[in-house]
Amino acid sequence: MLVDFHCHTTVSDGVYTPSEVVRLAAAAKISSLAITDHDAVSGCREAAAAIKREKLPLSLLQGVEFSIEAGEDEVHMLGLAIDDQEPRLVERLHAFSADRENRVYKILAKLEKLGYSLTPEEVFAAAGDGAQAVGRPHVAAALVKRGYFNYVYEVFDKLLYNNGPAYVSHLKPSLKEAIDLTHAAKGLAVIAHPYGISDQSVLEEAARLGIDAIEAYYPQHTPEQVKHYKAFARRHGLKVSGGSDFHGIKNKYPHKLGVYAISAELLNLW
Ligand code: AMP
Ligand code: FE
Ligand code: FE
Ligand code: ZN
């Protein structure tokens, strides 16, 4: 049985709509899929409706990916199997996405000074209809569309990397708040792609604050890293999760859903 507990849709920075994503998952013989858009849960409803309507053989976990305020590193945390209607969670996610919208104008002001001219409309068009969480990938896509760059990754490498020349931060919960919001919504709090966290004390802190699981299986993890994070989970009494972080972006592995799916027996979330 194959599962994938991390993937994105057009509601944040994915290429495929929630309906398309669940169709792709079913076609790839994935039996359980979590939709985890950045700062937004609105894709979960559409995905659930598509599964029902088209009788797809797939179980859906409603999820979300939080960006965490935690020093220099980009720390992300997933809320898995959440109640997407939980009022406190819904309210905070609205605040995060509203702030993301404001941030677009701030990024554009920085870009203007750096000699790159772009309108907010071009960025919102790149994010597309139904996008709840506009972000750096959409700014990058708009710059590519304008012809300033050939690829999105070039924009990240030159301008938009963390604390780079056109970088602007956005409203983020602390790790504690993200864990609390997830637990209030009856979900599991999972540290996403831990290889990106250079400061190991962040992981120790997460364990102390009541994180439930760690995403040990992740496409960019080496076999040694998988082992390392499984051992970390064992030591701290955490569960083990895994996901592909599928966005459907051409130059970002995995570009196809299902090429990195995980055997359910390797995980122990429930
Ligand atoms: P944001 O949340 O708006 O700060 O944007 C961060 C997101 O950009 C990450 O979660 C990734 O999905 C995406 N990202 C980061 N680096 C790259 C890259 N080199 N190419 C494409 N997308 C990227
Ligand atoms: Fe993303
Ligand atoms: Fe992430
Ligand atoms: Zn992700």
Side-chain angles (χ1 to χ4, degrees), residues 20-102:
E20 287 167 341
V21 165
V22 290
R23 273 179 218 132
L24 290 170
K29 307 258 185 301
I30 289 171
S31 52
S32 187
L33 180 84
I35 289 192
T36 55
D37 277 305
H38 298 288
D39 292 344
V41 290
S42 61
C44 300
R45 283 212 139 179
E46 184 193 320
I51 289 172
K52 203 168 167 200
R53 192 175 57 240
E54 298 172 27
K55 300 190 173 62
L56 299 174
L58 178 72
S59 84
L60 178 75
L61 299 185
Q62 305 189 134
V64 65
E65 181 167 21
F66 296 96
S67 300
I68 303 297
E69 190 59 65
E72 290 291 292
D73 288 331
E74 179 95 14
V75 176
H76 288 176
M77 196 206 92
L78 305 175
L80 287 184
I82 49 170
D83 168 5
D84 67 341
Q85 307 291 308
E86 204 285 315
R88 201 153 62 95
L89 174 69
V90 170
E91 187 194 317
R92 284 302 274 161
L93 292 180
H94 276 146
F96 299 149
S97 54
D99 185 70
R100 280 177 168 278
E101 216 168 300
N102 271 324

Side-chain angles (χ1 to χ4, degrees), residues 2 4 37 43-44 52 81 88 106 109 136 141 150 164 166 178 181 185 191 197 200 207 209 222 245 253-254 265:
L2 296 174
D4 185 345
D37 277 305
C44 300
K52 203 168 167 200
R88 201 153 62 95
K106 296 181 198 164
R136 283 181 281 168
N150 289 320
L181 287 171
I191 286 289
I197 304 173
Q200 286 304 293
L209 290 173
T222 63
D245 207 0
Y253 179 84
E265 317 72 85

Side-chain angles (χ1 to χ4, degrees), residues 103-182:
R103 173 196 193 212
V104 168
Y105 297 88
K106 296 181 198 164
I107 295 177
L108 294 187
K110 281 197 165 184
L111 284 173
E112 188 73 44
K113 283 194 184 141
L114 292 161
Y116 302 92
S117 192
L118 210 56
T119 65
E121 290 72 30
E122 287 172 279
V123 178
F124 296 124
D129 291 341
Q132 298 285 317
V134 61
R136 283 181 281 168
H138 306 118
V139 175
L143 285 168
V144 169
K145 184 138 196 262
R146 263 287 190 116
Y148 284 121
F149 293 88
N150 289 320
Y151 298 103
V152 160
Y153 74 84
E154 290 174 344
V155 187
F156 271 90
D157 288 353
K158 181 155 187 214
L159 299 169
L160 286 175
Y161 60 88
N162 284 350
N163 305 312
Y167 179 78
V168 176
S169 189
H170 59 101
L171 183 60
K172 298 168 183 170
S174 66
L175 194 48
K176 178 167 189 323
E177 188 191 3
I179 293 171
D180 288 349
L181 287 171
T182 298

